[in-house]
Amino acid sequence: MKPADVQPAERAASGAPKTNGDLESGLPAGGGKSSTQPDDNGKPASFLKRLLKVIVVTCISAIVLGGFIGTVWYFMGWMFVIQLILVALVAYLAAGRGYKWLYVALRTAPRDLTALSRYLIFLWSVRQLSRKDLSIGEIFRRNATKHPNKVCFIFEDKEWTFAQVEEYSNRVANVFKSHGFRKGDTVALMLENRPEFVCIWLGLCKLGIITALINYNLRQTSLTHSVTVSKCQAFIYGCELTDDIKDIVNELAGIKLYFWSADDTRPANKELNDKSLTGLLKEVPGTPTAPSEKVNFHDKLLYIYTSGTTGLPKAAVITHARYVFLAGAIGYQVGFKNSDRYYTPLPLYHTAGGAMAIGQAILYGSCVVIRKKFSASGYFSDIIKYKCTIAQYIGEMCRYILATPPKAQDKEHQLRMIFGNGLRPQIWKDFVDRFNIPKVAEFYGATEGNANIANIDNKIGSIGFVSRIIPSIYPISIIRIEPETGEPLRNKEGLCITCNPGEPGVFIGKIIPSNPARAFLGYVNEKESQKKIVTDVFAKGDSAFLSGDILVMDEYGYLFFKDRTGDTFRWKGENVSTSEVEGIVSNLANYRDCVVYGVEVTGSEGRAGMVAIVDQNNTLDLDALAEGAKKSLPSYARPMFIRVLHEVEMTGTYKMKKGELQKEAYDPHVVKDKLFYLSSKGVYEPLTEDIYSQIETGKIRL
């Protein structure tokens, strides 16, 4: 399918819920699917057909339910089974929706019960680790002892066995113990993707040292902030980043500096007064060392930073227990196996690569293939070469990969699943079909959050689901908000209001401090943590983690991402989702990077849509873009302004920073890039200073 051929109907077929233009309220036309609505083939759904479907689903559900009850009985006891049945019965009686509720329940029961049984088994495994009070270092050591010669990591054709990773991490622990570091200290680490990155923080955690994982793309103010906010006593960095450290050395007073190099050829720098960690590692044994005091399951392990698209990065607290949940929950839910071989080109300083992928090796003894940096052309070549069975992605990567020329080898892989987040519905089916992907395990979650979900049954476009049978079993919800401010709307009792199917709202997770799965550990900066908490949610005094993401749920409980709060804007009296417009515009522009935002126009209410598009070769076809937008977007959602960029600052997860772009808007006196506006002719024409003046004075109305 060509980018210019993307139509709203095709987008709806991708699995996202049908909305008004797919861009505003999210309410299905006519209030939802009725019993007389045509089926998928356009023919009226007969009663007998529906009855047969119910009978089949009932039989399948009975089998699944029997297995589920047996599993729960075995792990949790018969009292828990009775309580579960009572909750389900109460939910059914309270629903009062008769046949409709029963139909939805029967259709979603296999999915819900499968997820619940997997979740209970995972919680059981976590309970065992908690009872034994095992740290991440101890868990890994058990795996290394169990299969020392098994391959743990593969990097640039070099294999690292579990024994080698264990020995290297022990050397790190021995070095820092001899230098006086102890439990509770913090060390910042800034190193490119490679096994040594993991070995270093793994070794530090064996002493109870907290490692702050620093984005190696940061410079100047952002870098200084990330290092100092963690209040670290030492800073380890790759020797290739020495010049960046020199730029901020005056801000690092009192912090011991260590540099790492692959060959240990760089001498210590007098200006920095740093030490060669590579050299020090050669001087100590690779045997285990005892920490100054016991490292516990609930102790702090890492500080992992947010991407910083809307400000300076924030350091989220990751405990040993939290790391287990990050790595383990996804694996249990979507069906990872210890025998799987994983491929990740994602930055290891972020949660997705550093915990959800690397964690499969550390916690479960699997093999992970690490790539230094993502390559669109090399993605499937690597997967084929290293015989990977599971690969990791983020949505923007899929767009880059899809833009590469088709090859005969595209389907010659052994993948059984890809997992990640951000795969847009607009390209989901194209990506799966071209590369013959058996299963897409899209997940949703925030590094610091407690509201995490996953797509376990290959539902196109979905990021996960909420049970429609027993919604309280996993305390997450979607609540109504004011679209422009993101503030929760409340009822007359002052409590939050739950969204109905088809109604967009912000995703929240109930905070239960005593439950590691439901606790909100927040950021190192307490003030930043408070901004992510909403109180008096469904009862006075309760609280929840506020994700900041707008989702919409269909009648079966499937969830679909719409936008970030604050990114949605109103134009011509309608709500416009920047995320959905970005997906369509990117397709129309041959998968180019783009970012959509709303800008104020003098004399007009709301904000007009503006898109910044990266066009390094000056080949962007504005006429095709205008024509495609006319076909694919309602009039209010079509970008009124275009800014053509030759380069743009990206985060480590390939997100464009829009703050400065939005501030500069479409003023040609400020913007030096090419600007265009959507004229009354329906085409994009150059936005000159004279045109700008006419727009500002109202002579040209948008």
Side-chain angles (χ1 to χ4, degrees), residues 214-367:
I214 309 295
N215 179 346
Y216 53 75
N217 295 298
L218 298 181
R219 303 290 183 270
Q220 301 288 340
T221 303
S222 296
L223 177 55
T224 301
H225 166 79
S226 296
V227 175
T228 56
V229 75
S230 67
K231 299 178 181 178
C232 62
Q233 288 77 44
F235 183 13
I236 304 168
Y237 56 88
C239 65
E240 69 278 1
L241 303 167
T242 300
D243 289 341
D244 301 314
I245 306 304
K246 287 181 180 179
D247 290 340
I248 66 168
V249 65
N250 293 332
E251 310 297 328
L252 304 179
I255 299 177
K256 297 179 181 179
L257 301 179
Y258 297 82
F259 70 91
W260 181 94
S261 61
D263 52 14
D264 195 28
T265 56
R266 201 212 90 175
N269 187 286
K270 292 183 179 180
E271 181 183 349
L272 297 175
N273 191 28
D274 55 6
K275 297 181 177 65
S276 170
L277 179 59
T278 312
L280 292 170
L281 292 174
K282 296 177 180 178
E283 300 172 0
V284 295
T287 53
T289 183
S292 58
E293 56 182 292
K294 174 75 171 71
V295 183
N296 302 307
F297 186 62
H298 293 285
D299 286 338
K300 293 180 181 179
L301 171 68
L302 302 168
Y303 293 148
I304 297 182
Y305 295 75
T306 60
S307 57
T309 53
T310 57
L312 293 172
K314 296 185 285 289
V317 177
I318 307 296
T319 62
H320 294 253
R322 174 71 174 156
Y323 190 90
V324 171
F325 273 94
L326 288 170
I330 181 69
Y332 275 80
Q333 276 298 304
V334 304
F336 290 171
K337 301 176 182 178
N338 293 355
S339 58
D340 279 317
R341 175 170 287 191
Y342 300 82
Y343 177 76
T344 182
L346 270 60
L348 299 187
Y349 55 74
H350 273 328
T351 304
M356 301 181 82
I358 295 299
Q360 306 312 315
I362 291 177
L363 299 180
Y364 304 111
S366 299
C367 174

Side-chain angles (χ1 to χ4, degrees), residues 623-634:
D623 290 336
L625 181 59
E627 186 63 26
K630 184 178 179 180
K631 292 179 179 178
S632 303
L633 293 167

Side-chain angles (χ1 to χ4, degrees), residues 64-85 112-124 127 470 473:
V64 175
L65 182 61
F68 165 73
I69 291 176
T71 302
V72 176
W73 194 310
Y74 178 79
F75 284 113
M76 308 299 290
W78 62 273
M79 281 298 295
F80 188 86
V81 174
I82 293 176
Q83 291 172 7
L84 197 63
I85 293 173
D112 294 3
L113 295 176
T114 298
L116 182 57
S117 62
R118 289 174 178 176
Y119 184 58
L120 291 173
I121 295 172
F122 169 62
L123 289 182
W124 178 266
R127 179 182 294 183
I470 319 174
I473 199 70

Side-chain angles (χ1 to χ4, degrees), residues 306-562:
T306 60
S307 57
T309 53
T310 57
L312 293 172
K314 296 185 285 289
V317 177
I318 307 296
T319 62
H320 294 253
R322 174 71 174 156
Y323 190 90
V324 171
F325 273 94
L326 288 170
I330 181 69
Y332 275 80
Q333 276 298 304
V334 304
F336 290 171
K337 301 176 182 178
N338 293 355
S339 58
D340 279 317
R341 175 170 287 191
Y342 300 82
Y343 177 76
T344 182
L346 270 60
L348 299 187
Y349 55 74
H350 273 328
T351 304
M356 301 181 82
I358 295 299
Q360 306 312 315
I362 291 177
L363 299 180
Y364 304 111
S366 299
C367 174
V368 179
V369 178
I370 300 170
R371 182 170 177 112
K372 188 174 183 179
K373 288 185 178 180
F374 164 71
S375 166
S377 60
Y379 188 84
F380 276 97
S381 298
D382 281 349
I383 289 169
I384 294 169
K385 177 180 180 180
Y386 296 113
K387 300 179 180 179
C388 298
T389 57
I390 295 180
Q392 192 173 29
Y393 69 86
I394 55 174
E396 297 309 293
M397 288 182 176
C398 296
R399 179 165 56 83
Y400 295 139
I401 296 167
L402 198 57
T404 61
K407 295 183 293 186
Q409 296 77 25
D410 281 347
K411 299 181 180 180
E412 295 180 359
H413 54 75
Q414 299 178 30
L415 287 180
R416 66 181 190 87
M417 185 192 312
I418 61 172
F419 79 104
N421 65 317
L423 179 54
R424 289 175 172 170
Q426 294 90 347
I427 65 170
W428 188 303
K429 193 173 187 303
D430 289 348
F431 189 83
V432 168
D433 290 347
R434 173 176 163 182
F435 297 104
N436 191 30
I437 307 296
K439 180 177 180 180
V440 178
E442 175 86 1
F443 68 84
Y444 169 87
T447 298
E448 71 279 23
N450 66 345
N452 304 304
I453 51 177
N455 180 339
I456 69 169
D457 58 353
N458 226 8
K459 174 70 173 178
I460 293 178
S462 173
I463 63 173
F465 68 93
V466 173
S467 174
R468 300 284 283 147
I469 309 172
I470 319 174
S472 61
I473 199 70
Y474 189 60
I476 56 178
S477 301
I478 305 176
I479 60 172
R480 295 180 184 176
I481 58 166
E482 170 57 43
E484 292 191 24
T485 65
E487 288 296 315
L489 297 176
R490 297 181 181 273
N491 59 23
K492 60 183 179 180
E493 285 81 26
L495 303 177
C496 295
I497 306 169
T498 305
C499 291
N500 295 316
E503 183 181 8
V506 72
F507 189 59
I508 63 170
K510 186 175 181 180
I511 296 174
I512 307 174
S514 60
N515 183 345
R518 311 307 314 155
F520 173 57
L521 302 178
Y523 307 107
V524 173
N525 186 324
E526 289 292 335
K527 291 182 179 179
E528 294 290 348
S529 298
Q530 291 304 313
K531 295 178 183 178
K532 301 294 289 187
I533 297 175
V534 58
T535 57
D536 297 339
V537 185
F538 302 122
K540 291 293 183 180
D542 69 355
S543 60
F545 165 72
L546 197 62
S547 71
D549 289 323
I550 300 174
L551 309 184
V552 64
M553 176 181 68
D554 71 9
E555 61 181 329
Y556 301 109
Y558 287 107
L559 299 173
F560 303 86
F561 178 83
K562 283 191 69 67

Side-chain angles (χ1 to χ4, degrees), residues 563-684:
D563 216 344
R564 291 282 299 172
T565 53
D567 283 351
T568 297
F569 59 89
R570 287 183 71 81
W571 181 245
K572 303 295 185 183
E574 304 284 355
N575 293 332
V576 180
S577 166
T578 60
S579 176
E580 293 186 21
V581 176
E582 283 169 1
I584 292 173
V585 170
S586 177
N587 281 16
L588 295 172
N590 292 318
Y591 307 112
R592 285 179 171 87
D593 290 319
C594 71
V595 60
V596 173
Y597 44 94
V599 294
E600 293 181 350
V601 179
T602 302
S604 298
E605 185 179 346
R607 293 175 181 266
M610 184 167 183
V611 58
I613 305 176
V614 178
D615 181 30
Q616 296 176 332
N617 302 317
N618 295 312
T619 56
L620 179 63
D621 189 337
L622 291 174
D623 290 336
L625 181 59
E627 186 63 26
K630 184 178 179 180
K631 292 179 179 178
S632 303
L633 293 167
S635 59
Y636 62 83
R638 295 167 199 159
M640 293 290 106
F641 303 101
I642 291 178
R643 178 174 178 173
V644 179
L645 305 171
H646 287 290
E647 58 182 4
V648 67
E649 185 179 2
M650 307 283 283
T651 69
T653 49
Y654 301 96
K655 297 174 184 175
M656 293 172 64
K657 298 187 177 184
K658 67 174 68 175
E660 195 64 27
L661 297 172
Q662 190 168 25
K663 184 189 301 183
E664 294 177 350
Y666 58 95
D667 186 349
H669 301 94
V670 177
V671 178
K672 303 307 176 186
D673 300 310
K674 292 180 180 179
L675 292 170
F676 301 88
Y677 79 106
L678 188 61
S679 72
S680 58
K681 301 175 185 177
V683 297
Y684 288 107

